[in-house]
Amino acid sequence: QVSVINTVDTSHEDMIHDAQMDYYGTRLATCSSDRSVKIFDVRNGGQILIADLRGHEGPVWQVAWAHPMYGNILASCSYDRKVIVWKEENGTWEKTYEYTGHDSSVNSVCWAPHDYGLILACGSSDGAISLLSYTGDGQWEVKKLSNAHTIGCNAVSWAPAVVPGSLIEPPSGQKPNYIKRFASGGCDNLVKIWKEEDGQWKEEQKLEAHSDWVRDVAWAPSIGLPTSTIASCSQDGRVFIWTCDDASGNSWSPKLLHKFNDVVWHVSWSITANILAVSGGDNKVTLWKESVDGLWACISDVNKGQGGVSAVTEGQQNEQ
Amino acid sequence: AAVPSQVVPGADPSVRQLCFCWGPAEMLVCETLFGRRGGSRSRSRRPLLPAALSRCVAGTGEAGPSSSRVFVVRKDQDIYIQTLRKLFNESHGIFLGLQRSEEELAGKPRKAQLVQVSKNYRSVIRACMEDMHQAAISTREPALQSQYSTQVSILSAMELIWNLCEILFVEAAAAGPLLLRLLDWVRLHVCDVDNMVREVLSSEQPSKHELFWNVVDIFVLQGRMDEARHLLSKEATAHPSSGNMYKILDDLMKKMPVPSLGNTQTLTEMELKWQHWHEECQRYLQDGTFASDPRMESICKILLGDEDAILEKKELMTTWYHFLVTRLLYSHPTVKPMELRFYAQAGNTRISSLDLFQGGESSPEPLDTILMAAFEFEIHQVIKECSIALSNWWFVAHLTDLLDHCKLLQSHNLYFGSNMREFLLLEYASGLFSHHSLWQLGVDYFDHCPEYGRVYLELHIERIPLNTEQKALKVLRICEQRQMHEQVRSICKIMAMKALRNNRLGSALSWSIRAKDAAFATLISDRFLKDYCERGSFSDLDLIDNLGPSMLLSDRLTFLGKYREFHRLYGEQRFKEAAQLLLMLMTAHIAPCSFWMTLLTDALPLLEQKEVIFSAEQTYELMGCLEDLTVGKSEKQKFQDDNETTKVEMLRLALARNLARVIVKEGTLEGS
């Protein structure tokens, strides 16, 4: 049973493409075809417009909040080929960095785990993935992975930070040796996993299972198990759950969550990774949970309508 | 089975899709059209138009005010009901007590203690019920009243179920005491007899009251023999002619054998006595002793366990489980726990109590299913059904935990390898974290989940908004107590950043020291120094003066601390020490090059003192520093900054003069 506890009227003049809560659920960022990015304070059921950010020249596809330890920072990406990083300074939101290194629409942005620093991954229709790292003093360093996906890259998602090996506290000030990884999905029907080795980014794995463009990928948060889990969804209507059992990241095996009747656009994991939300072309959002016997079951779906809620009964098993 | 469908009311039912995002507690849902984004190809055949035309996409008129809403959606949870607060707080205390006592008395039999814990939980539920009831009758708003009343019913059902579980599972009452417990249970929970009784007894002539026989019947049905006999005696005095009948019935009721709680009789003895008594009742009935009074006859039939006679009193019993217990009382009082299922469920030769009672009319309600599962000793089924029926995890989490302590749950391995108890506790505690103050209770629950408690805590505690310094400190303490170093660092960094944004440098500095964040400490120290250069004074002197060993966190911080020390020494007129420190700051390269000019300028007053402070060696070193500073600059640079040039000149002069004086002083023998 869910209730709508707040309806935020964003006053966007055109379609909203993304809405994201900040880390604490106190602020909401939205972006739209009207080229603006808006930020609202939504504490206690309120909706106060904090900022109306203009800077993009085309529909804005996604927004992403950085970890609060870096301050209040938001990234946005747009059809206008730009990625803009906005920052709240002295109570006002301003553009703090603009990246124009892509030749085509930038479709997805995702901040890396805060342990790595302030790093933003961007996926674009020009097939490239850019990694923007903040090096201090307003400077950003760019690494571009060209031809990451032929035709275009639609989604990027970082793996959670996991320190390999020793659990001993490193001496203060010293950064532990993280192995940085992220996943990307593209128009070549592939999900790819990228790994940083000696300062260079390399394609580590190609995950093949989809028969059409991959629209979204989401790497599940870590709950301390040695397994890694990625969800991917595609134009082919399928959602796959990929798991890798060993820490070296070599063998990924897919499990079909469900085949939907329409394009599946978006997948996202809850904070403790026990529920996966899937947004599809069938005007619904379905929530899935793994059951006792390892099968994924749909636990509910959220759809639009004029009110009224149907009775609660048991979840159904997935269909292969 | 169908999937529960949760509809977002008010959203526009046109051809739009739903975009979704997880918040830490809430979820976001908004209408969108996915076809627009990412790549020039779209299944919906809508061309991706350049921005300028994006508003006029032909056809369905997508753009419009209704598309601009974002719904913040939240799972309905009881934690948001104010009046249930007591339930969560007090049960938390009971839970912790149970976990701790388990640790202390590990392995020793503790049934009595577990039963007490169970009773404690139930009294909390009852207290809550009372509060809720008070709220319901005192409110004027019909909506609220209905909500409270619903809550009362739910709490009542919870207590009913818990009580039965306590009897069957925790206490595990054996044959004999089992029936007595079940009778108590029925008397306490089922059908409100008290009002009726009060009404009848307080009337002038109770036996004439229209509800008189109802009360007598219900007493009999609930095995309350003494009370039934008391009422019947009134009737007896009113009808002296039927005196004999009453006497016989009274006698039978008095003699009815009941299981005892102590060890005064064995089950076999009890069964024999009961058989005997049963036969006596049978004889009286067959003799027609009660033939003239249908009511009395009916009572006798009930005593004989006649199902039809009992079922006639359906309206009084109100529920099938009351019927079940009454059946047991009058047909099989020494029933064993494992035999209960035969009376509860449908068997080969028997029809279930439920079906008998309801006559197969309606389908079972969730409560019925749960109680049925309990009578059948299907503990996992009870838990599963409760999870489905109730909107909160509170009940199943605490009950399952208790049953686990009773060693009743086999390890029921779930995906993550944790058992059911942990799974439910994790769900319950996770729910608490979306509440602004109840999250603190959640911490303790996570602590007692050995497999995933810690990582769940790590993930959730990061999302608690650190609105105030006190809250941040509270969260920090929790993390520090559990050696959650990553979280400690993260929180301190967030607070440092916040303080810096609000220009509270001192606060920012102490947070970054706590975070052991050298880079940030350097940044803030630079800010302090910059402020000093601009204003000529330091803020937050207390903090800087008392840095102690944390000064070593970063070079810049060390410099800041030492530089302030220099000023203090100067202020205390300990010039020689001040001078030495000042020099050391440069020669040991603690001071950044950019600051050397300031330091040298600070040296000026020391050079101009009447008394010579810097020794010859020190003066040479100072000169060296000055030259190091100026040597890199080009001629052009030198000319551009007049101020700078003047200063350098002044310094050179002062240094030279000092050198002259000190050479003389050091060259002069004492006393000569």
Side-chain angles (χ1 to χ4, degrees), chain B residues 381-558:
Chain B
Q381 191 70 14
V382 172
I383 295 170
K384 181 178 167 197
E385 296 291 338
C386 287
S387 305
I388 296 171
L390 292 166
S391 66
N392 69 69
W393 294 104
W394 179 88
F395 184 81
V396 281
H398 289 87
L399 181 62
T400 308
D401 173 62
L402 178 61
L403 294 177
D404 190 50
H405 283 281
C406 299
K407 309 272 185 276
L408 288 171
L409 303 177
Q410 304 129 339
S411 179
H412 200 91
N413 274 333
L414 301 175
Y415 168 56
F416 299 121
S418 67
N419 58 29
M420 187 174 322
R421 167 194 172 269
E422 178 155 328
F423 172 78
L424 294 171
L425 285 174
L426 289 173
E427 291 281 346
Y428 172 66
S430 298
L432 288 174
F433 266 86
S434 42
H435 191 276
H436 66 89
S437 68
L438 288 176
W439 64 268
Q440 295 168 79
L441 304 179
V443 175
D444 290 318
Y445 286 97
F446 281 142
D447 281 345
H448 289 99
C449 292
E451 286 224 44
Y452 295 102
R454 190 190 167 85
V455 67
Y456 266 63
L457 180 60
E458 285 172 4
L459 290 167
H460 276 107
I461 210 158
E462 284 192 316
R463 301 296 185 128
I464 295 173
L466 307 170
N467 306 327
T468 61
E469 191 120 332
Q470 287 106 303
K471 198 164 185 190
L473 287 170
K474 199 184 278 192
V475 176
L476 208 54
R477 220 188 335 264
I478 291 171
C479 294
E480 280 168 350
Q481 280 166 352
R482 291 158 180 76
Q483 279 101 46
M484 288 162 55
H485 302 294
E486 279 307 313
Q487 283 67 32
V488 170
R489 238 196 303 269
S490 172
I491 291 166
C492 290
K493 272 173 138 165
I494 293 169
M495 295 306 288
M497 183 59 99
K498 236 196 214 165
L500 189 63
R501 275 208 305 276
N502 294 327
N503 265 314
R504 290 180 291 118
L505 292 182
S507 181
L509 186 60
S510 36
W511 281 114
S512 54
I513 289 172
R514 201 160 173 175
K516 301 207 185 71
D517 188 345
F520 212 67
T522 302
L523 190 89
I524 298 171
S525 305
D526 272 333
R527 280 282 290 270
F528 269 114
L529 293 167
K530 185 158 153 260
D531 276 358
Y532 167 76
C533 286
E534 284 167 16
R535 289 192 312 213
S537 64
F538 286 110
S539 55
D540 302 285
L541 284 175
D542 256 350
L543 176 64
I544 304 174
D545 284 342
N546 293 306
L547 282 174
S550 51
M551 202 190 289
L552 300 172
L553 179 62
S554 100
D555 283 347
R556 196 55 47 84
L557 184 59
T558 314

Side-chain angles (χ1 to χ4, degrees), chain A residues 3 10 16 289 301 304 316, chain B residues 3 6 16 32 68 76:
Chain A
S3 297
T10 61
I16 297 175
K289 204 165 182 169
D301 64 57
K304 310 182 312 282
Q316 87 195 105
Chain B
V3 170
Q6 303 176 356
R16 287 205 187 93
T32 188
S68 69
D76 280 341

Side-chain angles (χ1 to χ4, degrees), chain A residues 46-77:
Chain A
Q47 40 176 300
I48 306 168
L49 178 68
I50 299 174
D52 186 341
L53 306 171
R54 308 277 165 165
H56 281 295
E57 287 149 357
V60 187
W61 301 128
Q62 262 192 14
V63 283
W65 289 95
H67 191 276
M69 73 164 64
Y70 296 108
N72 287 339
I73 297 178
L74 185 72
S76 62
C77 63

Side-chain angles (χ1 to χ4, degrees), chain B residues 162-173 178 181-182 185:
Chain B
W162 195 302
N163 198 347
L164 184 61
C165 290
E166 182 183 301
I167 296 169
L168 299 177
F169 307 138
V170 185
E171 192 184 342
L178 177 59
R181 291 278 184 261
L182 286 175
W185 178 66

Side-chain angles (χ1 to χ4, degrees), chain A residues 2-243:
Chain A
V2 296
S3 297
V4 175
I5 58 168
N6 198 357
T7 303
V8 179
D9 190 345
T10 61
S11 304
H12 273 299
E13 293 159 21
D14 205 332
M15 190 69 53
I16 297 175
H17 292 289
D18 197 13
Q20 295 285 331
M21 285 286 217
D22 76 345
Y23 219 64
Y24 303 119
T26 50
R27 286 185 173 176
L28 166 67
T30 57
C31 61
S32 159
S33 270
D34 71 2
R35 306 179 226 165
S36 73
V37 172
K38 295 193 188 192
I39 301 177
F40 299 86
D41 180 327
V42 290
R43 279 177 294 185
N44 301 321
Q47 40 176 300
I48 306 168
L49 178 68
I50 299 174
D52 186 341
L53 306 171
R54 308 277 165 165
H56 281 295
E57 287 149 357
V60 187
W61 301 128
Q62 262 192 14
V63 283
W65 289 95
H67 191 276
M69 73 164 64
Y70 296 108
N72 287 339
I73 297 178
L74 185 72
S76 62
C77 63
S78 159
Y79 177 72
D80 69 357
R81 299 175 262 138
K82 289 197 281 202
V83 172
I84 299 180
V85 179
W86 313 85
K87 185 169 178 160
E88 189 184 28
E89 210 67 85
N90 300 325
T92 47
W93 281 88
E94 282 154 7
K95 193 189 293 197
T96 186
Y97 178 58
E98 187 176 283
Y99 175 64
T100 50
H102 281 291
D103 307 317
S104 219
S105 169
V106 183
N107 303 317
S108 176
V109 278
C110 183
W111 291 101
H114 66 86
D115 318 67
Y116 302 163
L118 196 57
I119 305 177
L120 184 69
C122 322
S124 164
S125 288
D126 66 5
I129 296 175
S130 304
L131 296 166
L132 316 176
S133 308
Y134 184 66
T135 48
D137 265 335
Q139 299 301 318
W140 292 76
E141 191 186 88
V142 177
K143 281 200 186 123
K144 194 168 178 187
L145 310 173
S146 301
N147 295 318
H149 290 274
T150 49
I151 310 175
C153 171
N154 294 325
V156 282
S157 173
W158 286 88
V162 179
V163 184
S166 155
L167 294 166
I168 302 168
E169 264 284 288
S172 66
Q174 220 184 308
K175 281 199 173 166
N177 265 342
Y178 291 108
I179 295 179
K180 299 184 190 132
R181 281 196 177 94
F182 68 88
S184 64
C187 302
D188 50 7
N189 308 352
L190 295 173
V191 173
K192 290 191 182 182
I193 297 179
W194 305 83
K195 179 177 167 182
E196 190 193 45
E197 245 168 62
D198 303 320
Q200 296 292 333
W201 283 92
K202 299 203 170 82
E203 181 189 301
E204 189 187 42
Q205 287 283 317
K206 261 202 235 314
L207 305 180
E208 297 186 58
H210 288 292
S211 54
D212 208 331
W213 294 11
V214 176
R215 284 296 179 187
D216 200 10
V217 288
W219 205 309
S222 161
I223 49 161
L225 292 172
T227 52
S228 296
T229 310
I230 297 177
S232 67
C233 65
S234 158
Q235 199 92 23
D236 66 8
R238 292 190 180 84
V239 175
F240 280 101
I241 310 284
W242 303 84
T243 44

Side-chain angles (χ1 to χ4, degrees), chain B residues 87 101 115 129 138 150 153 249 376 386 511 544 565 601:
Chain B
L87 186 71
S101 69
V115 171
M129 230 161 80
S138 60
T150 316
S153 315
L249 189 60
E376 293 169 7
C386 287
W511 281 114
I544 304 174
E565 196 181 319
T601 316

